[in-house]
Amino acid sequence: MQVLNELKNAEHQHTQHSTEEANVEHDNPGPGVWTESSSTDTLGHDLEKRREDVRSKNPRGATRTRSGVDVQRAEAEFAELSREFSGLSQHSRRASRQISKIQSRRSIPKEVDVEKTGSSDDSESEPWNLEEVLRGSKAAEYEAGIKSKRIGVMWDNLTVSGIGGVKNIIKTFPDAFVSFFNVPETLMHIFGYGKKGKEFDILKNFRGVARPGEMVLVLGRPGSGCTTFLKVIANQRFGYTKVDGNVLYGPFESKLFEQRYRGEAVYNQEDDIHHPTLTVGQTLGFALDTKTPGKRPAGMSKKDFKAKVINLLLKMFNIEHTLNTIVGNPYVRGVSGGERKRVSIAEMMVTSATVCAWDNTTRGLDASTALDYAKSLRIMTNIYQTTTFVSLYQASESIYNQFDKVMVIDDGRQVFYGPIREARAYFEGLGFKEKPRQTTPDYLTGCTDIFEREYKDGRSIENAPGSAESLEKAFGDSIYSARLSEEMAAYKKELEHEKEVRADFELATVQAKRKHTSKSSVYSIPFYLQVWALMQRQFLIKWQDKFSLIVSWITSIVIAIVLGTVWLNLPKNSSGAFTRSGLLFISLLFNTFQAFGELASTMLGRPIVNKHKAYTFHRASALWIAQIIIDLAFSAVQIFVFSVIVYFMCGLVRDAGAFFTFYLVVVSGYLAMTLFFRTVGCLCPDFDYAMKFAAVIITLFVLTSGYLIQYQNAQKWLRWIFYLNALGLGFSTLMMNEFKRLTLACNSLIPSGPGYGDLAHQVCTLPGSTPGSDQVSGSNYVNTSFSYDPSDLWRNWGITVVLIVGFLIMNATLGEVLQYGAGGKTVTYYAKEDKERKRLNEALMRKRERKQHKEADQGGSDLHITSKAVLTWENLCYDVPTPSGQLRLLNDIFGYVVPGQLTALMGASGAGKTTLLDVLAARKNIGVISGDVLVDGIKPGTAFQRGTSYAEQLDLHESTQTVREALQFSADLRQPYSVSREEKYAYVEEVISLLEMEDIADAIIGDPEMGLAVEQRKRVTIGVELAAKPELLLFLDEPTSGLDSQSAFNIVRFLKKLAAAGQAILCTIHQPNSALFENFDRLLLLQRGGECVYFGDIGKDANVLLSYFHRNGADCPSDANPAEWMLDAIGAGQASRIGDRDWGERWRSSSELANVKGDIIKMKHQRMQEVGSNVKTDEKEYATPLWHQIKVVNRRTHLSFWRSPNYGFTRLFNHVAIALLTGLAYLQLDDSRASLQYRVFVIFQSTVLPALILAQVEPKYDLSRLIFYRESAAKAYQQFPFALSMVLAELPYSVICAVGFFLPLYYLPGFQSASSRAGYQFFMILITEIFSVTLGQTVAALTPSSFISMLLNPFLIIVFALFCGVTIPKPDIPGFWRAWLYQLDPFTRLVGGMVVTELHDRTVQCTPTEFNNFTAPAGQTCGEYMSNFFANGGPGYIAQNATDACQYCAYKVGDQFYEPLGFSFDHRWRDLGIFAAFIGSNLILLFVGSRYLNFNRR
């Protein structure tokens, strides 16, 4: 076994160095590791014998990597870890015992908490240990000749270029027009070409080598190029314009390595991207499904293998409890942020890659877990001999010591690369001041920071390096550079001689593959197994997203019942012919457009697909195939239920063949459209392109489907689309399937009435009828009306199947070829500099220069905080309801925050730190809070939230604001109204300077995908809260997470200054180093379960804190960081706690707690006396009056819309495109009978506006509301200004869109041009536009998220379109619906008003084919025969009265067409007024909903 090889060689070397060393005391192995003692003689003999075995089998030997870590101890921990929970065979236990014996000789064991360790004899019979599980047993390796995969990396003259250097100005609404009409540039942008900025070098001339088994720490300030280096080292070159130089992976060139071994070099990004509805176990299980090796230990099934590896990984990261918890994301509640980070780490470990790059992976982890993680990496690197690169911000000394080499990057230049032990001395030798108290990583990074670096006495920028270039040159001239050159040359020589390394590697990768996997494939499992694994995952994703599933089913069944009742038992006569076609069309349309959601999910799922593709879990094409199979399984059942309800309630042809054909066609249509939308999702670079493309194509599909315009009447240039249109092909198949089995009785004979009873002289008005017959063949009807020949039924279905296959192939191919969103960080945008901004920026730069030359104090001098208020909390408990009863998250906590003191709140991930902050800051709105939270001894008043600032963990900001605007907005609304604007804005400039945001003051914040970097966003979050100038308290939740050490130190130092000026501050903090930790005055330490284990002073060098632990039997080693050690001591990490008593119990019975209680009573009494009668009367909830809030919020919202060009332009484009296509499809309609129906359909097209608008307005409102929740919790402004500003900001765009929609839709088909008619119609369109916007905002305000509101949209749109009197005329609507829903439908007013305005007094001229031909009785002319019919009010006219061959046209004027439908010209203004009133009802619901519904549950 590999682990023993490593251990024996390590031990062998160790004994060569010193025979005495076994008796020397070393660091203990850490709590939780079993140590067993035995006869050293036996051990020596056993080891000696085994060494000989190893030597004979491995004549070249193995070398131990030199590192600052006790490798034996780490490997022992690792082996024991696997043994603890899985049990070992006798053989494995012996090996493990030997390891423990080596341990016990070299260390003093600590007390072991038996509860935290597993039994050593869990499983006698099952031979399993870590090494066998992850690499296969030694016997299997030798028998099969399995080789190990070990590959080093060498890079030489590595230069990486990207786009940047140009200040990109934020685009506004008019810019969207300019770029759209600049067609060449638009096309180049779509295909990824064209000018995006100037090319510049991100990294310049990097060189180095990392051997197998080495860990390299990559250090640099944010933006220096660490991420780029890691990506390029992991061979991920997408998104960079040029990568020059040579990168060798062992003997392989990077290009060959990419083609054949892509999954052997992997990169773990900073952000955690997972499927939020999968559990942790399922997420890792899927990864293992795609990476389980072909050869496993004897007799172990794939299922057992999977379960054990998952257990091992969860145990390694201390997250076994999350196995069945969903992963979640910022919007779906799941595991905590730190736990999610660990899932990402575990997922990448499953890849078993040989080159691993980890990018700032300890962000959000507490100090203890971060160290555990670094140790785990060390162990993995040693056991697997992987080559590991890690970039970390805020790495502690303990973490730093786990590494072998360190690379320091400054502004894209490599300024040091060498052993970790010598890096500090190298920089000190360059002339930088020694800072013994600073951790080495902080010191190294600080030397590259112009603000932080300090020179020794007698050294300055003149005679020591002062820039990235001079530091690079100094390294180039140093002994380390020469040594590196020698090492690289030696490594190259080794590669030339070690030809078997290549052979071993190639063989090992082949052997890791499962059966039937191509040897040249980069994937571990064959394509069909990828599809199978993905099918299982997709099933779980769908099945576990119960909410979407239930809503989808409810929508489907409700719509089916509505359709069934509206078209209940359709009559088998001529009046049921048109309504029957309407039912078939809507049944197909509803089910095919259920697939529209695929567009969004395809684009949102891209990051996960890109990640899994890079990890070589699966091909993108396998995902699309698996997805469509699972979709088919789910939708087939749903569509079947829908079909049964609709088919049998409506009385469609009762024939088994006909029913199953109906069902088959609807399912085929659904599949074709799902694949079509997925293909569009793969093809388009972003949402806006997808929305534009989809709007055009959907409109074309609906127009050419054959229902709105029959095939023979369609424009000739549009007809070909029918054969690519799954909707049209499906509709034609459904029509032929239904009507070929029907013969319709005619109930519309002409002439009819008294005196007309002779069938020989009557004709049916239904197309396809024959004179003298009252029966119409269904086949004739579809042939005459729609040009469908029933013999084409299966041909058309066959074309649909071809489309399904074609779209699937396109989908799979595009998924493989196109790779959007897989590149590096996008460019930052800036607001255009005007005079005022220029002046402010110049002032900031001058201030920065003074700071650089240490002329000015670094801020804080002008801070004067007058409040002396004290916040205290006693017996504080917090319980939340769970399905299994009340769960206590905070348990009896005592404490206080006083002005002038900086209090740290610390604890393990999940201990309740954020919960406590939320409770104290009055942000919780669910659960039960008990105990007292008091300000100056009394309950906080309504002004409490306004007087406190709370910088939350999630960096939520209005993405279109600049940094300066965000701070000014906060100051404007949250500082007292009495303070002048100039004073507020001057303070904002102070904050910008303090937080070192001068360069990004005018940068647009953007979102995490496009905008400021993580650490820059974190600074903005803090800045926004500081700009509010809180009177009482400042709460900060992890203000230093995601920042580099320097930024973290600056922020803590600034907080210290604020505290010195009189501010009371409570702040949660992760991973503080010693220098950072000593800035805090007091500490509140929590353990899991929300229990307090310490509250009190920290003291110089943490002496007060450590003396408390010492008194309770826990001693901190002198070289340890107290902040990390105390977490280990209370059992926050993997190690068991120190001592046999729970630390929470110790605290509850301690004298320290009694003192805290006494202090609280004293403080309350003292403050109540001081305040006395001066109780604050200014208990205003908000700092500024309502009108001021409306003005400020409205200005920001208008600016946000103006700076979101895609939002406004996409909406306008869709309006114009749909109107244009509709206008062209119905170009210059004549006065024929068919044109009457077509004019109604043109008007009916305006009912698609809500479908377009809701899809855009709801997500916009929802995103803005998330920001509103944060700002309203801080009492910046009320709900009314927010909702009003959202409505007002939409209005200008609504007017523009209404004009863009109206002009082509109205004038292209040739509608009435009289201003009284056209003006009325325009007002109707404008009201529809505003109604749709307010409806979208109302639905968004009444639902918790845009996801849920999107699920309601299809229901709303279908009901509105169904009951407005077009698809089924008013007289045919069942009485129940007609009595209320027809009247309540806003579109009844829209259609009623527009149809009568267009058709009133319009004369009708039938075309020759539209005349119904019959003969007059002998001796009568047509005029004579028809005179009674017309005298009794019969509609229509006769073409020639004088003959006996009668040609009858059904309508004479448009009024005759609409009057039977229940419309009247006299009611048109009434309808307009009622329609406008619906906008009013929307607004009332919107304002009430936004005021009283708070979906921000926390």
Side-chain angles (χ1 to χ4, degrees):
M1 293 179 303
Q2 190 70 31
V3 64
L4 287 175
N5 294 345
E6 296 298 326
L7 281 165
K8 289 161 204 162
N9 280 287
E11 181 65 16
H12 177 57
Q13 286 195 348
H14 185 74
T15 49
Q16 282 178 335
H17 286 302
S18 166
T19 50
E20 302 292 316
E21 199 176 320
N23 301 318
V24 180
E25 287 185 8
H26 277 258
D27 287 350
N28 62 5
V33 178
W34 287 94
T35 53
E36 302 175 26
S37 59
S38 180
S39 157
T40 50
D41 294 338
T42 314
L43 174 69
H45 177 264
D46 200 17
L47 270 175
E48 201 53 48
K49 182 175 175 298
R50 283 164 183 267
R51 270 193 212 109
E52 291 308 314
D53 287 347
V54 174
R55 281 197 193 103
S56 64
K57 288 189 170 84
N58 187 7
R60 301 196 63 260
T63 54
R64 173 190 164 191
T65 311
R66 291 257 164 243
S67 76
V69 119
D70 186 339
V71 183
Q72 282 94 339
R73 187 183 78 201
E75 288 169 349
E77 282 175 1
F78 199 61
E80 288 294 344
L81 189 56
S82 68
R83 185 164 67 84
E84 274 175 26
F85 71 86
S86 64
L88 284 162
S89 66
Q90 293 290 349
H91 171 76
S92 311
R93 265 204 318 282
R94 270 205 311 278
S96 189
R97 207 171 287 130
Q98 286 160 352
I99 297 162
S100 291
K101 287 167 193 167
I102 297 166
Q103 285 290 335
S104 59
R105 285 159 58 202
R106 306 179 67 223
S107 60
I108 299 167
K110 272 198 177 157
E111 58 185 346
V112 173
D113 186 355
V114 180
E115 288 176 8
K116 294 228 172 187
T117 57
S119 157
S120 61
D121 294 291
D122 284 346
S123 169
E124 280 294 316
S125 57
E126 192 178 5
W128 186 87
N129 78 352
L130 175 72
E131 199 58 22
E132 287 174 350
V133 164
L134 294 183
R135 300 287 297 275
S137 67
K138 181 182 175 186
E141 281 184 15
Y142 274 99
E143 278 168 33
I146 291 177
K147 305 292 182 185
S148 60
K149 291 190 296 183
R150 299 182 185 191
I151 262 205
V153 186
M154 186 168 81
W155 57 102
D156 200 5
N157 289 326
L158 177 64
T159 300
V160 182
S161 307
I163 294 295
V166 174
K167 209 170 188 184
N168 291 279
I169 302 300
I170 182 79
K171 286 189 165 32
T172 56
F173 185 60
D175 294 328
F177 287 90
V178 177
S179 60
F180 179 76
F181 290 110
N182 184 354
V183 180
E185 193 182 295
T186 305
L187 288 172
M188 284 167 81
H189 175 61
I190 291 172
F191 294 111
Y193 299 105
K195 182 171 74 82
K196 290 176 189 160
K198 200 169 64 184
E199 191 178 67
F200 77 112
D201 291 340
I202 303 171
L203 304 179
K204 205 172 174 85
N205 295 332
F206 276 50
R207 63 195 195 97
V209 62
R211 293 170 180 272
E214 283 189 336
M215 284 176 70
V216 178
L217 177 62
V218 181
L219 294 175
R221 295 213 68 199
S224 60
C226 297
T227 296
T228 300
F229 175 73
L230 291 177
K231 277 189 164 181
V232 174
I233 277 296
N235 220 8
Q236 292 193 17
R237 300 177 168 212
F238 183 85
Y240 301 110
T241 54
K242 199 168 65 188
V243 180
D244 291 331
N246 197 16
V247 181
L248 280 180
Y249 297 89
F252 305 102
E253 291 282 340
S254 58
K255 203 167 185 183
L256 178 69
F257 200 71
E258 161 70 21
Q259 287 163 359
R260 292 179 50 192
Y261 310 109
R262 191 173 73 223
E264 293 299 329
V266 288
Y267 164 78
N268 188 304
Q269 63 189 43
E270 198 171 343
D271 296 314
D272 305 309
I273 303 166
H274 300 282
H275 285 287
T277 56
L278 287 181
T279 66
V280 171
Q282 288 161 353
T283 301
L284 297 178
F286 168 72
L288 276 162
D289 282 339
T290 63
K291 284 289 179 184
T292 300
K295 289 199 186 314
R296 294 182 292 278
M300 183 175 282
S301 69
K302 181 170 170 291
K303 190 179 172 187
D304 292 346
F305 175 87
K306 201 165 123 179
K308 290 189 168 169
V309 177
I310 289 172
N311 276 342
L312 170 75
L313 289 166
L314 297 182
K315 184 89 175 173
M316 191 191 299
F317 293 116
N318 208 14
I319 50 171
E320 305 103 301
H321 58 283
T322 66
L323 179 68
N324 297 315
T325 310
I326 64 165
V327 179
N329 62 18
Y331 308 109
V332 177
R333 184 176 289 178
V335 297
S336 74
E339 288 164 347
R340 196 175 304 131
K341 173 58 70 186
R342 286 176 258 177
V343 174
S344 300
I345 296 165
E347 184 187 44
M348 185 163 130
M349 283 185 168
V350 170
T351 62
S352 311
T354 44
V355 178
C356 302
W358 307 84
D359 194 357
N360 195 16
T361 26
T362 57
R363 188 180 99 200
L365 302 184
D366 60 78
S368 180
T369 309
L371 181 57
D372 285 345
Y373 155 68
K375 281 182 177 172
S376 302
L377 274 190
R378 176 76 262 172
I379 297 160
M380 299 294 274
T381 305
N382 288 351
I383 290 176
Y384 289 147
Q385 290 292 290
T386 55
T387 311
T388 306
F389 296 86
V390 186
S391 83
L392 295 177
Y393 296 157
Q394 302 185 49
S396 67
E397 199 68 33
S398 315
I399 291 175
Y400 179 75
N401 288 332
Q402 306 296 324
F403 290 84
D404 303 301
K405 291 178 176 173
V406 62
M407 171 186 280
V408 184
I409 304 177
D410 182 12
D411 197 20
R413 315 248 173 183
Q414 180 178 313
V415 298
F416 181 78
Y417 181 67
I420 58 159
R421 296 272 168 259
E422 299 167 32
R424 191 171 194 133
Y426 166 75
F427 278 95
E428 287 170 352
L430 289 179
F432 294 107
K433 189 175 180 179
E434 288 129 2
K435 296 181 178 175
R437 291 190 61 84
Q438 209 173 18
T439 63
T440 309
D442 290 1
Y443 178 74
L444 300 181
T445 316
C447 290
T448 68
D449 183 358
I450 50 172
F451 297 120
E452 298 307 321
R453 59 178 165 228
E454 293 178 46
Y455 295 102
K456 290 178 180 171
D457 293 341
R459 301 296 287 271
S460 69
I461 201 158
E462 274 78 42
N463 57 12
S467 66
E469 290 78 9
S470 55
L471 278 167
E472 183 187 36
K473 186 176 181 304
F475 176 67
D477 298 339
S478 72
I479 187 171
Y480 295 101
S481 177
R483 266 195 228 162
L484 181 59
S485 300
E486 286 165 21
E487 192 184 352
M488 286 169 72
Y491 179 72
K492 228 172 185 172
K493 213 168 234 176
E494 278 172 38
L495 287 181
E496 285 166 21
H497 293 129
E498 292 180 4
K499 297 293 180 197
E500 70 272 19
V501 170
R502 180 174 184 149
D504 285 2
F505 182 80
E506 287 173 341
L507 191 57
T509 52
V510 170
Q511 286 163 340
K513 292 181 175 135
R514 300 269 283 281
K515 266 187 287 188
H516 312 302
T517 311
S518 154
K519 284 188 179 179
S520 61
S521 169
V522 293
Y523 299 95
S524 303
I525 58 172
F527 189 77
Y528 74 91
L529 280 179
Q530 290 175 30
V531 173
W532 175 240
L534 282 158
M535 279 169 65
Q536 294 173 66
R537 186 191 74 178
Q538 290 308 118
F539 177 82
L540 289 169
I541 289 171
K542 279 234 177 208
W543 184 248
Q544 284 170 199
D545 193 357
K546 288 286 192 290
F547 184 80
S548 301
L549 208 56
I550 290 165
V551 170
S552 170
W553 269 88
I554 289 172
T555 307
S556 186
I557 290 169
V558 169
I559 292 292
I561 293 169
V562 168
L563 294 179
T565 52
V566 169
W567 276 288
L568 192 65
N569 287 325
L570 283 167
K572 291 184 179 173
N573 57 31
S574 58
S575 65
F578 178 69
T579 47
R580 207 170 276 260
S581 65
L583 169 70
L584 295 174
F585 183 68
I586 282 187
S587 299
L588 182 65
L589 190 72
F590 170 70
N591 283 296
T592 52
F593 284 107
Q594 286 277 72
F596 187 59
E598 292 304 323
L599 193 61
S601 61
T602 301
M603 303 192 85
L604 291 172
R606 265 182 199 164
I608 299 177
V609 177
N610 288 335
K611 179 173 82 168
H612 285 176
K613 206 169 157 183
Y615 286 178
T616 60
F617 283 171
H618 62 82
R619 284 182 166 281
S621 51
L623 171 66
W624 304 125
I625 292 166
Q627 221 168 355
I628 201 69
I629 295 169
I630 295 299
D631 281 350
L632 178 58
F634 275 88
S635 59
V637 183
Q638 196 172 314
I639 291 173
F640 185 76
V641 173
F642 175 91
S643 300
V644 168
I645 296 170
V646 170
Y647 200 89
F648 293 105
M649 279 184 79
C650 298
L652 297 174
V653 178
R654 298 289 163 89
D655 178 283
F659 169 73
F660 283 107
T661 306
F662 173 89
Y663 171 62
L664 181 68
V665 171
V666 175
V667 170
S668 307
Y670 169 81
L671 279 181
M673 291 307 277
T674 299
L675 286 164
F676 168 72
F677 285 128
R678 283 205 184 129
T679 306
V680 172
C682 283
L683 191 63
C684 296
D686 58 40
F687 256 127
D688 295 298
Y689 279 110
M691 286 295 286
K692 288 172 194 162
F693 191 60
V696 172
I697 300 289
I698 291 167
T699 308
L700 277 173
F701 278 4
V702 173
L703 286 174
T704 59
S705 62
Y707 175 67
L708 298 180
I709 310 175
Q710 287 70 45
Y711 182 80
Q712 69 276 18
N713 295 336
Q715 304 286 345
K716 288 187 174 59
W717 53 273
L718 273 178
R719 287 183 187 174
W720 62 274
I721 294 175
F722 174 82
Y723 294 102
L724 296 175
N725 181 357
L727 199 58
L729 291 162
F731 177 63
S732 68
T733 313
L734 290 177
M735 287 292 285
M736 293 185 271
N737 176 52
E738 179 69 18
F739 281 96
K740 76 174 185 179
R741 294 177 168 86
L742 275 182
T743 301
L744 302 165
C746 186
N747 62 350
S748 58
L749 289 168
I750 294 295
S752 59
Y756 297 104
D758 185 358
L759 196 57
H761 300 291
Q762 289 176 301
V763 70
C764 186
T765 54
L766 191 69
S769 63
T770 49
S773 168
D774 64 350
Q775 297 294 310
V776 182
S777 151
S779 295
N780 283 351
Y781 169 68
V782 292
N783 208 335
T784 312
S785 265
F786 296 90
S787 299
Y788 298 152
D789 182 350
S791 63
D792 293 339
L793 191 154
W794 292 108
R795 180 204 72 176
N796 286 8
W797 181 75
I799 298 172
T800 309
V801 173
V802 171
L803 284 178
I804 290 172
V805 175
F807 283 139
L808 184 56
I809 292 168
M810 275 178 71
N811 197 209
T813 311
L814 289 170
E816 293 287 346
V817 175
L818 295 177
Q819 202 177 6
Y820 292 118
K825 181 186 173 295
T826 44
V827 194
T828 306
Y829 288 88
Y830 293 84
K832 222 172 191 169
E833 201 170 56
D834 55 20
K835 259 186 190 169
E836 177 63 10
R837 287 194 189 111
K838 196 172 181 182
R839 183 183 65 77
L840 291 170
N841 289 338
E842 282 170 358
L844 281 175
M845 287 307 166
R846 282 197 298 274
K847 191 168 186 180
R848 184 161 86 165
E849 276 167 31
R850 286 204 304 278
K851 201 198 301 185
Q852 217 168 318
H853 296 109
K854 308 282 187 281
E855 290 169 24
D857 176 34
Q858 297 193 9
S861 51
D862 62 338
L863 301 171
H864 304 295
I865 291 140
T866 52
S867 173
K868 298 276 187 291
V870 174
L871 179 75
T872 59
W873 55 94
E874 300 163 87
N875 289 108
L876 189 60
C877 296
Y878 177 61
D879 300 277
V880 289
T882 65
S884 54
Q886 291 287 92
L887 174 67
R888 178 150 289 189
L889 296 183
L890 296 176
N891 197 354
D892 269 340
I893 299 177
F894 288 80
Y896 52 84
V897 184
V898 295
Q901 285 204 337
L902 183 54
T903 307
L905 172 54
M906 292 180 69
S909 297
K913 303 184 294 293
T914 300
T915 306
L916 178 59
L917 277 190
D918 283 348
V919 169
L920 294 177
R923 294 294 199 269
K924 288 287 182 199
N925 55 21
I926 53 170
V928 179
I929 300 168
S930 55
D932 293 324
V933 178
L934 305 173
V935 176
D936 291 343
I938 54 171
K939 284 270 182 205
T942 49
F944 175 70
Q945 274 167 276
R946 177 169 67 80
T948 57
S949 279
Y950 182 10
E952 298 184 38
Q953 212 169 332
L954 273 181
D955 305 316
L956 270 181
H957 299 283
E958 169 54 63
S959 60
T960 56
Q961 277 185 306
T962 66
V963 172
R964 180 179 278 121
E965 286 163 358
L967 270 65
Q968 288 178 343
F969 180 81
S970 178
D972 242 339
L973 290 173
R974 292 170 63 186
Q975 286 190 28
Y977 185 59
S978 54
V979 178
S980 72
R981 195 171 173 181
E982 289 72 29
E983 205 176 316
K984 288 177 181 175
Y985 285 7
Y987 185 68
V988 164
E989 296 305 304
E990 281 291 320
V991 173
I992 290 173
S993 176
L994 289 168
L995 294 175
E996 293 178 8
M997 298 193 294
E998 296 94 342
D999 291 333
I1000 55 166
D1002 287 331
I1004 301 295
I1005 295 168
D1007 50 44
E1009 279 79 47
M1010 192 210 76
L1012 297 181
V1014 175
E1015 57 92 23
Q1016 291 171 327
R1017 296 170 71 77
K1018 180 58 74 182
R1019 281 193 241 178
V1020 175
T1021 302
I1022 296 165
V1024 162
E1025 295 307 317
L1026 293 178
K1029 225 175 183 177
E1031 297 165 21
L1032 289 175
L1033 268 159
L1034 177 59
F1035 295 107
L1036 300 106
D1037 194 4
E1038 293 188 29
T1040 60
S1041 281
L1043 303 188
D1044 66 303
S1045 305
Q1046 270 353 103
S1047 306
F1049 191 72
N1050 289 346
I1051 280 169
V1052 171
R1053 191 175 54 195
F1054 171 58
L1055 293 178
K1056 184 76 178 161
K1057 273 195 175 131
L1058 274 180
Q1063 183 79 65
I1065 301 172
L1066 178 60
C1067 162
T1068 65
I1069 195 148
H1070 269 175
Q1071 305 173 29
N1073 56 42
S1074 305
L1076 210 61
F1077 189 53
E1078 69 179 23
N1079 276 292
F1080 290 90
D1081 302 299
R1082 305 182 74 75
L1083 169 71
L1084 173 54
L1085 182 60
L1086 296 180
Q1087 71 175 12
R1088 283 197 184 91
E1091 289 187 78
C1092 182
V1093 293
Y1094 180 77
F1095 176 72
D1097 290 342
I1098 294 172
K1100 181 152 179 60
D1101 295 333
N1103 64 333
V1104 179
L1105 169 70
L1106 295 181
S1107 68
Y1108 170 76
F1109 275 97
H1110 170 70
R1111 285 197 301 279
N1112 285 283
D1115 287 307
C1116 177
S1118 58
D1119 60 344
N1121 172 8
E1124 287 172 20
W1125 173 84
M1126 70 183 183
L1127 289 173
D1128 279 336
I1130 64 167
Q1134 277 169 272
S1136 57
R1137 63 167 184 256
I1138 297 176
D1140 53 357
R1141 261 185 82 196
D1142 181 75
W1143 284 94
E1145 278 175 37
R1146 294 183 196 214
W1147 173 250
R1148 283 193 289 277
S1149 58
S1150 70
S1151 58
E1152 283 82 358
L1153 175 60
N1155 293 342
V1156 168
K1157 289 178 181 175
D1159 290 345
I1160 290 173
I1161 291 165
K1162 262 190 247 161
M1163 278 177 195
K1164 288 197 301 192
H1165 182 68
Q1166 187 185 337
R1167 284 300 296 152
M1168 284 171 90
Q1169 278 186 326
E1170 282 175 22
V1171 174
S1173 56
N1174 306 330
V1175 179
K1176 272 185 77 178
T1177 49
D1178 176 26
E1179 282 291 321
K1180 281 190 303 192
E1181 194 174 358
Y1182 296 92
T1184 56
L1186 182 65
W1187 65 268
H1188 181 74
Q1189 293 172 27
I1190 292 171
K1191 188 176 77 175
V1192 174
V1193 175
N1194 207 17
R1195 185 173 65 225
R1196 180 179 75 169
T1197 311
H1198 275 286
L1199 187 62
S1200 164
F1201 277 70
W1202 182 248
R1203 283 184 185 158
S1204 308
N1206 281 345
Y1207 175 75
F1209 184 72
T1210 300
R1211 189 163 132 201
L1212 178 61
F1213 174 87
N1214 290 347
H1215 278 68
V1216 174
I1218 288 174
L1220 202 56
L1221 289 169
T1222 307
L1224 290 170
Y1226 294 104
L1227 192 62
Q1228 292 305 311
L1229 293 171
D1230 54 22
D1231 291 330
S1232 66
R1233 172 182 157 183
S1235 291
L1236 292 176
Q1237 185 66 56
Y1238 291 155
R1239 286 174 198 277
V1240 175
F1241 279 146
V1242 171
I1243 288 163
F1244 187 59
Q1245 275 295 88
S1246 53
T1247 64
V1248 305
L1249 289 184
L1252 285 179
I1253 292 167
L1254 294 184
Q1256 278 192 290
V1257 166
E1258 288 166 354
K1260 181 85 172 167
Y1261 183 92
D1262 190 38
L1263 278 173
S1264 303
R1265 182 172 60 182
L1266 285 174
I1267 295 149
F1268 160 71
Y1269 281 147
R1270 182 182 66 75
E1271 292 172 338
S1272 71
K1275 301 298 176 191
Y1277 54 92
Q1278 299 174 39
Q1279 294 86 348
F1280 181 72
F1282 163 69
L1284 181 67
S1285 72
M1286 291 302 289
V1287 174
L1288 294 178
E1290 292 277 6
L1291 284 179
Y1293 304 94
S1294 297
V1295 174
I1296 295 168
C1297 288
V1299 172
F1301 186 76
F1302 173 75
L1303 293 174
L1305 189 81
Y1306 196 80
Y1307 290 106
L1308 286 177
F1311 275 27
Q1312 298 205 27
S1313 55
S1315 56
S1316 62
R1317 302 282 176 102
Y1320 176 90
Q1321 305 285 47
F1322 173 69
F1323 275 124
M1324 275 303 219
I1325 295 289
L1326 182 60
I1327 291 170
T1328 308
E1329 186 75 26
I1330 296 169
F1331 167 78
S1332 304
V1333 168
T1334 52
L1335 176 72
Q1337 293 179 334
T1338 302
V1339 171
L1342 300 176
T1343 49
S1345 72
S1346 59
F1347 176 68
I1348 295 168
S1349 47
M1350 288 291 201
L1351 293 171
L1352 289 174
N1353 292 349
F1355 179 73
L1356 283 173
I1357 291 157
I1358 284 174
V1359 168
F1360 283 176
L1362 204 54
F1363 291 98
C1364 67
V1366 174
T1367 48
I1368 181 162
K1370 181 185 176 184
D1372 295 341
I1373 298 175
F1376 170 75
W1377 297 118
R1378 190 168 64 233
W1380 65 282
L1381 197 49
Y1382 172 79
Q1383 302 297 342
L1384 271 179
D1385 187 346
F1387 290 172
T1388 301
R1389 312 300 161 191
L1390 166 71
V1391 171
M1394 290 186 77
V1395 166
V1396 298
T1397 305
E1398 172 55 27
L1399 298 186
H1400 181 58
D1401 290 341
R1402 183 178 275 285
T1403 53
V1404 179
Q1405 298 286 327
C1406 278
T1407 60
T1409 56
E1410 288 176 337
F1411 283 109
N1412 295 111
N1413 298 308
F1414 58 93
T1415 55
Q1420 282 187 294
T1421 64
C1422 291
E1424 292 162 352
Y1425 177 56
M1426 293 291 286
S1427 58
N1428 284 346
F1429 175 75
F1430 290 130
N1432 290 331
Y1437 66 92
I1438 292 289
Q1440 291 177 339
N1441 286 337
T1443 64
D1444 63 347
C1446 309
Q1447 287 186 305
Y1448 170 76
C1449 182
Y1451 306 108
K1452 192 174 184 179
V1453 288
D1455 303 58
Q1456 293 177 345
F1457 176 80
Y1458 67 68
E1459 277 165 358
L1461 305 179
F1463 298 136
S1464 164
F1465 185 72
D1466 298 336
H1467 292 156
R1468 67 189 192 124
W1469 288 105
R1470 180 201 72 180
D1471 286 344
L1472 184 138
I1474 294 171
F1475 194 21
F1478 276 108
I1479 297 175
S1481 66
N1482 281 347
L1483 290 174
I1484 291 166
L1485 283 171
L1486 169 63
F1487 292 135
V1488 170
S1490 65
R1491 172 71 182 83
Y1492 294 105
L1493 292 177
N1494 181 359
F1495 296 108
N1496 187 30
R1497 314 303 282 157
R1498 52 186 289 182

